[in-house]
Amino acid sequence: KDDAVLFLIKEGEHTLKGDNKKLYEKSLMQNQKQHLHGTSSASIVQKPGRMYLSCSVEDAGLAEEALRHLTGITGWARAKAVEKDTNTVIAASVACAKEAIEKGFLHKTFKVDARRSDKSFPLNSPALCAAAGEKILEAFPELTVDVHHPEQTIRVEVREKAFVYGHEEKGLRGLPAGTGGRGLLLLSGGIDSPVAGFEMMRRGMKLEAMYFHAYPYTGNEAREKVERLANIVGAYAAAVPGKAGLPLHVINFTDVQIALRDRLLQMQASEWGTVMLRMAMMEAADLLARKRRLACIITGESLAQVASQTVHNIACTQSRLGLAPNHYPLPVLRPLIGTDKEDIITLSKKIGAYDTSIEPYPDCCTLFSPPHPVIHGRVEEANRIYEALELSELIYSSGAK
């Protein structure tokens, strides 16, 4: 329709897949429809390498929000679809430049980038670039062409129709949600774990989250904060309408932490408190992941950021996985392990989690923390101390299994 808004969507790396490419494309289409379930006018058409989303002007804002949460696309733009007539395409290019000027995207320099997939079109790509660029310069003599660093690129794609567009938004890239297996995210109230969850969702993984609650030492405000974080991250999951994008399992860890503190004190080994707590959490995560038939565990650990995240202590905490008979250790994925804190904060702000993450409600990881924790724990010693704590029964009753 003439009054409809058209979005041209560029698909991501799954277009390079071989025999499985159609499965990724099908998932991307389904995900987009699920993201758009709140709109009444939206319709989607999928072509090789491109998706076209059409909706009413009233639904355009909702469509843009959906595209900002869709993994598996490299970019998108509002476009005009015109007939494959040379004069019509060039006129649309001039109109696109005018719109870019009016919206403040174009002041001085531009270039035209034309791609002619339909070889029956009379002008090849370079000739179309030259013809459209010439007419734009005639219409707006204050502009100049800069093919290397233009303020605005006017793009023309000659396919089943001719699509003309200017300002392009970057997509989230990655793979379509739900194509990368299923994992368990250890979600705290901090900055790192929501970002780690997002990064794995961007690789196509479907997640469930696990939160350790230690009421009354950590209040209901802390729990509600984590629930909000789960909703923020879950918005990228392309959830089925009516279901949570990131299901959250709340584990009551109060008894475990009190027992851990008291027994370490009796053993005169309180400096191990941070490592022992992480080992208990890993044991609980192992139980829940197997119960939910999840293939891996995801954490927000970044190497040497805090005491529990030195390479020695990571080895200690991971040693509690796969200890039950006939169990193999589940892989632990740490997407932020080599990431700088400032980069993590930048991404946290980008996905909309930062303001919630910095709310001043402590999580159970800071509870009973020793003033001088072990930094370079040895796996053998850590497991000897941990087994002497006899926490397994309390972990079983915490809700992990």
Side-chain angles (χ1 to χ4, degrees):
K1 296 181 181 180
D2 293 338
D3 60 345
V5 178
L6 177 67
F7 295 94
L8 180 147
I9 305 164
K10 298 181 179 181
E11 298 184 37
E13 66 180 82
H14 64 269
T15 58
L16 303 176
K17 301 289 184 183
D19 295 339
N20 294 326
K21 183 169 72 173
K22 289 185 178 179
L23 295 176
Y24 286 93
E25 290 176 342
K26 182 179 179 181
S27 293
L28 182 62
M29 175 68 87
Q30 291 174 340
N31 292 347
Q32 178 68 308
K33 289 179 178 178
Q34 288 168 4
H35 275 301
L36 290 166
H37 71 268
T39 63
S40 58
S41 65
S43 63
I44 311 168
V45 176
Q46 192 166 32
K47 299 289 184 179
R50 295 288 185 269
M51 294 171 65
Y52 302 102
L53 166 61
S54 178
C55 67
S56 66
V57 174
E58 293 77 15
D59 283 339
L62 292 173
E64 289 184 336
E65 191 65 14
L67 290 169
R68 292 188 183 101
H69 286 81
L70 182 65
T71 61
I73 62 173
T74 61
W76 51 274
R78 292 196 184 201
K80 293 291 183 182
V82 299
E83 295 301 322
K84 291 185 287 187
D85 169 77
T86 301
N87 291 331
T88 303
V89 172
I90 291 175
S93 302
V94 175
C96 185
K98 179 181 179 182
E99 183 178 3
I101 293 170
E102 292 173 348
K103 290 186 176 180
F105 296 125
L106 175 56
H107 300 90
K108 294 181 180 179
T109 61
F110 77 99
K111 77 171 183 178
V112 178
D113 183 6
R115 304 292 174 92
R116 185 190 64 159
S117 298
D118 182 357
K119 303 305 180 186
S120 67
F121 190 77
L123 297 181
N124 62 21
S125 298
L128 181 55
C129 287
E134 182 180 359
K135 289 298 182 182
I136 292 172
L137 288 172
E138 287 181 8
F140 307 104
E142 71 274 16
L143 299 180
T144 58
V145 174
D146 183 343
V147 297
H148 298 294
H149 303 288
E151 289 178 324
Q152 180 69 74
T153 299
I154 308 301
R155 302 185 188 277
V156 181
E157 296 187 9
V158 183
R159 294 171 172 265
E160 56 276 2
K161 281 191 171 183
F163 299 93
V164 182
Y165 57 98
H167 179 67
E168 184 177 356
E169 297 278 352
K170 290 185 178 180
L172 294 177
R173 304 191 306 277
L175 296 171
T179 60
R182 300 169 64 235
L184 179 64
L185 171 67
L186 302 190
L187 183 63
S188 71
I191 297 171
D192 300 338
S193 58
V195 175
F198 166 77
E199 289 286 60
M200 296 315 302
M201 283 183 172
R202 191 157 63 163
R203 297 310 304 161
M205 184 161 279
K206 183 174 178 138
L207 300 182
E208 297 183 19
M210 182 179 197
Y211 166 61
F212 296 96
H213 193 48
Y215 185 82
Y217 298 98
T218 52
N220 287 328
E221 296 89 352
R223 174 175 176 163
E224 292 166 358
K225 170 185 174 180
V226 173
E227 290 172 348
R228 293 198 302 276
L229 287 171
N231 289 333
I232 291 169
V233 178
Y236 297 90
V240 175
K243 293 188 178 181
L246 181 58
L248 180 64
H249 304 276
V250 178
I251 307 302
N252 185 357
F253 233 48
T254 307
D255 292 343
V256 174
Q257 290 196 250
I258 291 175
L260 190 153
R261 177 199 62 184
D262 293 345
R263 293 171 191 179
L264 282 176
L265 188 61
Q266 292 173 1
M267 297 166 61
Q268 297 184 343
S270 295
E271 68 276 10
W272 281 92
T274 300
V275 174
M276 293 298 112
L277 176 59
R278 293 293 298 181
M279 293 173 75
M281 288 177 170
M282 278 295 185
E283 184 173 341
D286 190 49
L287 291 170
L288 182 60
R290 294 181 190 282
K291 176 184 177 181
R292 300 292 301 167
R293 297 184 178 180
L294 305 175
C296 64
I297 297 168
I298 299 103
T299 77
E301 291 167 307
S302 176
L303 186 62
Q305 183 173 237
V306 294
S308 65
Q309 296 174 16
T310 65
V311 68
H312 304 83
N313 288 350
I314 286 174
C316 293
T317 58
Q318 188 161 325
S319 67
R320 300 311 301 176
L321 299 177
L323 297 180
N326 301 319
H327 280 184
Y328 61 90
L330 292 177
V332 180
L333 306 183
R334 300 177 174 90
L336 308 182
I337 195 66
T339 308
D340 179 80
K341 189 67 176 184
E342 290 187 14
D343 292 335
I344 297 172
I345 289 173
T346 298
L347 189 49
S348 177
K349 292 177 179 178
K350 179 180 177 181
I351 66 174
Y354 182 74
D355 289 342
T356 302
S357 291
I358 62 173
E359 290 178 4
Y361 303 119
D363 59 44
C364 71
C365 294
T366 60
L367 193 61
F368 311 140
S369 295
H372 303 291
V374 169
I375 302 296
H376 303 295
R378 292 188 300 110
V379 172
E380 297 81 3
E381 185 179 4
N383 277 279
R384 176 181 60 78
I385 295 172
Y386 184 82
E387 289 166 7
L389 294 174
E390 298 181 344
L391 298 174
S392 292
E393 186 175 338
L394 289 172
I395 291 173
Y396 288 165
S397 62
S398 68
K401 185 174 183 180

